[in-house]
Amino acid sequence: MAKKSIFVVEDEEDILDLVRHHLAKEGYGVSTATNGMEAVKAILRKPPDLVLLDLMLPGLDGLEVCRMLKKDAQTAEVPILMVTAKDEEADVVAGLELGADDYIVKPFRMKELIARVRAALRRRRGAPPDAEAVVQAGDIVIHPGRHEVKVAGEAVEMTVTELRILHLLAGRPGWVMTRDQIVDAVRGEDYAVTDRAVDFQIVGIRRKLGARADCIETVRGVGYRFRAED
Ligand code: CA
């Protein structure tokens, strides 16, 4: 199997060295940049398999880098794992809405970083299922065409909106969805869904999932994620 390549954008040199060392030890090919403009140029020249992107960068910041990479056809599909400080929730939401795949909060343990990198690389295969596709996640099966949800073989009654939200989340396990992304995906199905209404819908979905309620995780300040099995 070819070596997977990871491009690390980080302006703090000691963190950069540490991350580079650990990723190389795991067998990844690592390229780096310490500022946004340099990163965008190098990444567009030779798109890697994944970008690890610090959001707080001098000059062109991480969100701008994310926006530029997602806009270019060559790099639009390259997963971006954002690196953020604890108080950057608004930036995380903005980054996810620009198309970043996941984020990790500083300070992180190297073991956690490696696990997230592996998960993001694995997820790269497979686009989100279309709205009518049957989604199966563990013992939960969602059949939009038949308006049917089954948990461990038992049919569970859900509203159209609940089913759409569950379908969206379960179709991309491990992926954080912001409230806005959820609203956009289900808008106009049976009534206007707002940010706050998403939280309300999630409460309903969890209640109906019963013993499997914990498969929908709340990502504080950001949104929701369907628990990935591994
Ligand atoms: Ca930084």
Side-chain angles (χ1 to χ4, degrees), residues 10-12 54 56 106:
E10 172 63 74
D11 60 314
E12 289 166 72
D54 184 26
M56 289 286 273
K106 280 181 182 173

Side-chain angles (χ1 to χ4, degrees), residues 99-115:
D101 299 279
D102 198 2
Y103 70 101
I104 186 166
V105 178
K106 280 181 182 173
F108 49 79
R109 290 178 309 136
M110 283 301 152
K111 244 177 104 172
E112 193 193 346
L113 176 70
I114 301 291

Side-chain angles (χ1 to χ4, degrees), residues 101-159:
D101 299 279
D102 198 2
Y103 70 101
I104 186 166
V105 178
K106 280 181 182 173
F108 49 79
R109 290 178 309 136
M110 283 301 152
K111 244 177 104 172
E112 193 193 346
L113 176 70
I114 301 291
R116 303 295 278 280
V117 163
R118 274 204 201 117
L121 285 169
R122 222 181 12 244
R123 278 202 305 262
R124 193 185 172 181
R125 296 167 301 192
D130 71 62
E132 295 307 316
V134 177
V135 162
Q136 174 151 20
D139 61 359
I140 301 176
V141 185
I142 306 142
H143 200 311
R146 279 194 235 144
H147 187 77
E148 183 182 270
V149 178
K150 282 189 171 172
V151 179
E154 295 284 316
V156 174
E157 285 291 322
M158 287 202 182
T159 66

Side-chain angles (χ1 to χ4, degrees), residues 9-12 15 34 54-58 83 88 106:
V9 193
E10 172 63 74
D11 60 314
E12 289 166 72
I15 298 179
T34 53
D54 184 26
L55 286 188
M56 289 286 273
L57 295 168
V83 178
E88 289 169 3
K106 280 181 182 173

